[in-house]
Amino acid sequence: MPRLASTQQSCWDAPLFSMAYVLHIILLLLYCDTIHSGQSLVKVIEEPTVLSPQTIQLLCNLSDIPNNPPTVTGYWTKDGQEIENSKEAVNRNNDQYIFKKTIQAADVGNYSCVFRENDAQVTFVFDAPVMKDKRDKPIVSYIGDTVVLRCTLKNTPKTWNWYKVNNTEKDLINVTVSPLKYNIVIHQNVTKLSVLNLTEADAGTFICSAEFDIKSIESYLELRVLSLLEPLKPFLVIVAEVIILVTLILVWEKCKPGQDHNTATTENVLYTEQTSKLTHSDSNGMETTTRQRKTEQ
Amino acid sequence: MEKRPIEPPDGGYGWVVVTSAFFIMGLTAAVLKNFGLFFLDIQRHYNVYTSTTSWVTSTTIAVFHLGAPLASAISMHLSQRSVIMIGGLLAASGMIIASLGLSLPWMYVSMGVLQGLGMSLCWIPANSMVSHYFKRWRPIAYAVASSGECVFAMIFSPFFQWLIESYTWRGALLIIGGLQLNLCVCGALMRPLQPNSVTQNSFQDSKDHSGNTKKVTFQWCLIQRPELLLYIVFAILAAAGFFIPPLFLVPYTNSLGMKQYWAASVLSVLALADLLGRLACGWLANLRLMRNLQLLTMVVTAGGVVLLLLPVAQDYWAILVFSSMYGFLFGCVMAIHVTSIVDIVGLDGFDSALGLFMLLRSSGGFVGPPAAGWLVDWAYDFSAGFYLSGFCLVLSGVFVVFVDRLLERKKLLVKQTDSCLDTTDYQIIKADRTDV
């Protein structure tokens, strides 16, 4: 039976952590052995993660109570709710009041010891490990392709299971039943589910479940299956736009300044000279005047 | 046959050409900059190493540079418009083939060769058209056109990310291929300049049956000119210098203990400063307060100095300041280093010179990063990379000074001619008038 108590005397003024932060802690135990009056303290220390069934003893040590009464009453709460029959009278022991509780490792939750006299409390948090590589965006794949869904965890669970959500029900994925469809590979703390030959029906939510003795941890993965037409639609729209624009530009250019070219090439050379004098813009004026001088000579 | 100089319209339809070039730069260079978003997906799909996947991008860049003189030569025979449209079709087909997800060699062919060639066939003529359409406003026109690369790079980054999430990388590539078809639209807008109409209406030329007055051959002999040669040395050193900092900025900020998103924000600031630098320098060069080459010397030397000082920065804000200064100066160099080619070889030799320039400059881009990587490994310090790039940039500035000196001396000896075609417009007009 692992004992957590240590004889640290000081308890630092850690502010109360928010619940959101606490949930991210991987099975850490919070422990504080000396509570000063009027403070609620949450202290974090790394302990080996408790993954197999065992009993754990929580210990709260209260000191520095004014008047030093012979007994103080305290009770334990789990997840904010008072545990029945947990109220106890704690006897003084050399100016300290030691309050203990024994729990099973499987009973995960937040345990707090609360002392009536000065409302001091300490929260011990038991929580499950969190999945790494959490994907909040759906995994996308195409019909006929193979997709690999992956879950990793810091610790190695006893076993991994994959489920497919089917209208709020979980269906276990059994590789032996459908070997052509699914393939599961497990490498200790990593598991991969390969879904072969995707169809539209395969789209949906998949659950990878890491089974421990005390609890199983789940992570959700969403799969979206697209048909090959999906990216083809915007592509064809763009191709159509390109063809239209190129045609428009070339036609516009042929029609607008094209008349000058046509008249020049089909006419007599001398007449060409005269029209070129009249129709050319200023940028060609230099060449035109040069040519004029030559013909005049 | 007399050669008629093409007088740049300097406005009017030229601004349509600039807009078209803006989109061309965006649809080519900006797509290349965002290739990295596909990296992981491609690597996972083909189950290969990171280095194998990165060869795809390297192939694209290599073909882009090698295809530059080819693009110049082809655009002399066909019009720039046709070349850009062909380039657009090639680039789009490359993306479409890549989206099929065939074996890895096909990725090299499609995303590497076809895409790189298509980009090259679009980018080079676009530059050429902008330079030919403008004379007085050329610096600003080119700066605006080249800023398309920055603007589109910033837009495409989140857009491509969204495409990959919605359609997977293959669907995204298909749609991007479709977008690149718009290069054909841009090409259609690139109306060729006057020379065709001049030949058709010309009395003299039709009698001589001399055909077109456009330059027909790729002027390889331009490389013999010392000014161009020295300018290309500048380009090689500058390319070596410029390719290094983007690679090492993120690892450097990480080594100082900063998180990944701080480093990413530095790169974003760099891109924004790049855009501002291009526009500011284009405007500044247009004021004609000094020669383009003098301005280029100043900004490239300043860029080198900023890089040499960058390792002094140890905290986030200092790095941000130095990076934004570097980004700004990088943009300045980008804005004027191509328009300066016109000052060196004249408008007629510009196309050939640009092709040669791009081809030879790529060597700097290929040698620089590995050399810096080796130096960083040897010194166990990222600062070594920045020192190398700063040194390269300052040295390249020296070469620009040489080029400027040579050109000034050449201008003083007005009657000097060489084996290639005569370059200054003034000379030809003068000859015309004396004949008459």
Side-chain angles (χ1 to χ4, degrees):
Chain A
M1 193 169 73
R3 285 187 64 92
L4 309 159
S6 71
T7 51
Q8 290 167 325
Q9 286 303 312
S10 65
C11 203
W12 49 88
D13 291 311
L16 196 69
F17 291 83
S18 68
M19 286 304 285
Y21 175 83
V22 156
L23 277 169
H24 287 289
I25 301 168
I26 302 170
L27 260 180
L28 294 171
L29 273 356
L30 297 107
Y31 168 84
C32 179
D33 58 343
T34 313
I35 310 167
H36 297 284
S37 48
Q39 286 170 326
S40 296
L41 290 160
V42 171
K43 173 180 149 186
V44 174
I45 44 172
E46 282 274 341
E47 285 286 347
T49 18
V50 177
L51 295 168
S52 50
Q54 47 186 284
T55 47
I56 295 173
Q57 189 186 68
L58 303 175
L59 190 142
C60 283
N61 184 340
L62 182 66
S63 67
D64 191 24
I65 296 271
N67 307 325
N68 266 346
T71 58
V72 291
T73 41
Y75 61 93
W76 289 89
T77 64
K78 181 183 174 185
D79 297 328
Q81 303 276 336
E82 191 181 328
I83 303 170
E84 289 174 10
N85 306 326
S86 64
K87 205 179 296 186
E88 260 183 53
V90 183
N91 298 319
R92 187 175 64 194
N93 186 1
N94 295 334
D95 290 333
Q96 287 183 335
Y97 303 87
I98 298 173
F99 193 16
K100 296 180 198 170
K101 179 155 183 62
T102 308
I103 57 169
Q104 299 296 319
D107 295 330
V108 287
N110 298 346
Y111 292 90
S112 303
C113 61
V114 187
F115 288 94
R116 239 307 120 80
E117 273 69 18
N118 53 2
D119 286 330
Q121 77 170 15
V122 170
T123 309
F124 294 81
V125 175
F126 278 102
D127 207 346
V130 187
M131 291 279 186
K132 296 202 151 198
D133 299 338
K134 252 215 153 89
R135 277 190 77 129
D136 40 351
K137 299 211 166 87
I139 299 171
V140 181
S141 196
Y142 289 97
I143 293 175
D145 267 354
T146 305
V147 74
V148 176
L149 304 172
R150 208 175 109 110
C151 279
T152 51
L153 197 61
K154 201 168 148 197
N155 314 94
T156 306
K158 196 168 94 177
T159 178
W160 285 95
N161 274 330
W162 282 92
Y163 298 91
K164 178 144 197 296
V165 171
N166 189 2
N167 296 334
T168 70
E169 271 178 23
K170 282 192 329 191
D171 295 333
L172 179 67
I173 294 173
N174 197 335
V175 181
T176 47
V177 166
S178 41
L180 293 173
K181 189 74 186 169
Y182 298 109
N183 184 24
I184 297 180
V185 173
I186 297 176
H187 280 302
Q188 293 177 325
N189 65 335
V190 177
T191 180
K192 293 185 203 171
L193 169 72
S194 307
V195 186
L196 311 157
N197 230 335
L198 280 169
T199 61
E200 296 245 318
D202 288 320
T205 314
F206 285 79
I207 301 174
C208 63
S209 173
E211 317 270 349
F212 292 96
D213 284 326
I214 44 168
K215 195 185 172 178
S216 63
I217 298 146
E218 291 182 344
S219 178
Y220 290 81
L221 290 155
E222 204 191 313
L223 178 69
R224 270 181 61 200
V225 180
L226 300 174
S227 76
L228 285 166
L229 290 175
E230 289 280 333
L232 212 58
K233 279 184 238 159
F235 174 74
L236 290 173
V237 165
I238 298 172
V239 170
E241 166 250 321
V242 166
I243 294 174
I244 292 171
L245 281 177
V246 171
T247 322
L248 275 176
I249 291 169
L250 292 175
V251 164
W252 175 74
E253 233 185 72
K254 276 265 176 323
C255 293
K256 229 186 89 172
Q259 286 155 2
D260 299 344
H261 298 287
N262 288 333
T263 47
T265 45
T266 52
E267 297 292 338
N268 192 303
V269 173
L270 240 95
Y271 184 62
T272 308
E273 273 296 313
Q274 287 169 340
T275 47
S276 66
K277 276 185 238 167
L278 292 166
T279 55
H280 269 304
S281 56
D282 278 345
S283 57
N284 278 346
M286 189 181 59
E287 287 93 355
T288 321
T289 48
T290 318
R291 221 165 306 313
Q292 269 184 322
R293 276 183 232 157
K294 283 196 176 126
T295 51
E296 275 161 37
Q297 283 177 347
Chain B
M1 183 192 77
E2 284 173 47
K3 205 198 141 305
R4 303 279 169 232
I6 307 158
E7 188 64 28
D10 235 336
Y13 194 76
W15 296 113
V16 177
V17 170
V18 168
T19 315
S20 169
F22 180 87
F23 279 90
I24 289 176
M25 306 263 194
L27 287 169
T28 53
V31 167
L32 184 60
K33 275 187 181 175
N34 283 308
F35 261 15
L37 293 170
F38 292 93
F39 207 82
L40 278 176
D41 290 296
I42 294 176
Q43 189 191 351
R44 225 177 276 153
H45 185 256
Y46 290 105
N47 219 9
V48 287
Y49 294 118
T50 315
S51 51
T52 321
T53 323
S54 67
W55 273 108
V56 177
T57 321
S58 306
T59 315
T60 315
I61 299 175
V63 174
F64 176 75
H65 283 97
L66 291 171
L70 181 72
S72 299
I74 297 178
S75 60
M76 287 174 193
H77 290 277
L78 312 168
S79 66
Q80 279 101 341
R81 164 186 273 168
S82 333
V83 178
I84 295 177
M85 290 175 81
I86 294 170
L89 288 171
L90 280 176
S93 62
M95 280 301 199
I96 294 167
I97 293 174
S99 77
L100 295 173
L102 305 165
S103 58
L104 195 60
W106 276 108
M107 285 300 282
Y108 289 125
V109 168
S110 58
M111 250 172 120
V113 175
L114 282 176
Q115 176 78 217
L117 196 60
M119 279 186 193
S120 185
L121 288 179
C122 291
W123 198 84
I124 302 284
N127 273 332
S128 167
M129 286 302 266
V130 169
S131 300
H132 282 284
Y133 258 86
F134 286 90
K135 194 172 172 177
R136 196 179 114 58
W137 294 98
R138 191 180 294 135
I140 279 201
Y142 183 77
V144 169
S146 75
S147 64
E149 182 189 324
C150 303
V151 169
F152 272 92
M154 289 195 275
I155 295 173
F156 278 166
S157 202
F159 177 60
F160 283 9
Q161 194 71 41
W162 175 81
L163 275 179
I164 295 173
E165 274 164 19
S166 311
Y167 293 104
T168 74
W169 66 276
R170 289 169 53 189
L173 281 179
L174 183 68
I175 295 174
I176 294 168
L179 283 174
Q180 287 196 312
L181 274 178
N182 282 299
L183 287 166
C184 297
V185 176
C186 298
L189 284 171
M190 295 288 202
R191 190 192 295 166
L193 280 167
Q194 308 296 329
N196 285 330
S197 54
V198 173
T199 44
Q200 284 172 342
N201 295 321
S202 146
F203 173 58
Q204 297 283 47
D205 288 327
S206 60
K207 216 176 176 190
D208 298 339
H209 301 292
S210 44
N212 57 14
T213 53
K214 288 192 291 186
K215 43 209 171 312
V216 182
T217 51
F218 187 85
Q219 298 167 35
W220 289 101
C221 57
L222 277 175
I223 197 75
Q224 291 166 353
R225 287 211 210 159
E227 312 91 63
L228 187 63
L229 210 57
L230 288 172
Y231 193 69
I232 287 177
V233 175
F234 144 74
I236 294 172
L237 285 168
F242 280 129
F243 272 71
I244 298 170
L247 285 176
F248 288 123
L249 258 179
V250 173
Y252 178 67
T253 43
N254 279 335
S255 73
L256 291 176
M258 274 172 251
K259 294 239 173 45
Q260 189 70 17
Y261 49 80
W262 289 120
S265 68
V266 168
L267 285 178
S268 307
V269 165
L270 201 98
L272 194 62
D274 182 1
L275 174 66
L276 293 172
R278 288 185 201 220
L279 294 172
C281 201
W283 170 80
L284 190 66
N286 218 64
L287 293 175
R288 303 283 151 100
L289 296 170
M290 61 188 94
R291 295 190 292 279
N292 281 345
L293 287 170
Q294 286 175 319
L295 186 59
L296 184 62
T297 317
M298 279 168 33
V299 292
V300 91
T301 315
V305 168
V306 165
L307 281 175
L308 286 170
L309 291 175
L310 199 143
V312 166
Q314 294 294 322
D315 71 318
Y316 176 68
W317 291 107
I319 292 184
L320 204 65
V321 164
F322 275 105
S323 307
S324 43
M325 274 168 40
Y326 164 72
F328 185 83
L329 291 165
F330 173 79
C332 290
V333 174
M334 289 296 117
I336 41 172
H337 79 314
V338 171
T339 31
S340 305
I341 299 180
V342 184
D343 296 336
I344 298 171
V345 294
L347 200 54
D348 304 319
F350 174 75
D351 291 346
S352 321
L354 183 63
L356 287 169
F357 176 85
M358 293 297 290
L359 172 68
L360 294 168
R361 163 184 113 138
S362 62
S363 55
F366 289 130
V367 169
W374 176 82
L375 206 63
V376 165
D377 287 338
W378 175 74
Y380 291 109
D381 188 8
F382 283 111
S383 317
F386 293 114
Y387 292 143
L388 177 68
S389 53
F391 171 71
C392 285
L393 285 179
V394 171
L395 189 62
S396 65
V398 170
F399 281 93
V400 180
V401 171
F402 287 154
V403 176
D404 194 31
R405 285 281 146 85
L406 279 175
L407 279 181
E408 288 303 298
R409 212 163 29 134
K410 200 173 174 183
K411 276 185 201 165
L412 292 173
L413 315 164
V414 166
K415 289 206 176 130
Q416 180 182 342
T417 52
D418 55 39
S419 52
C420 282
L421 298 165
D422 205 347
T423 59
T424 55
D425 301 348
Y426 177 69
Q427 296 280 18
I428 296 163
I429 296 163
K430 207 173 153 198
D432 257 351
R433 297 232 166 97
T434 49
D435 283 346
V436 175

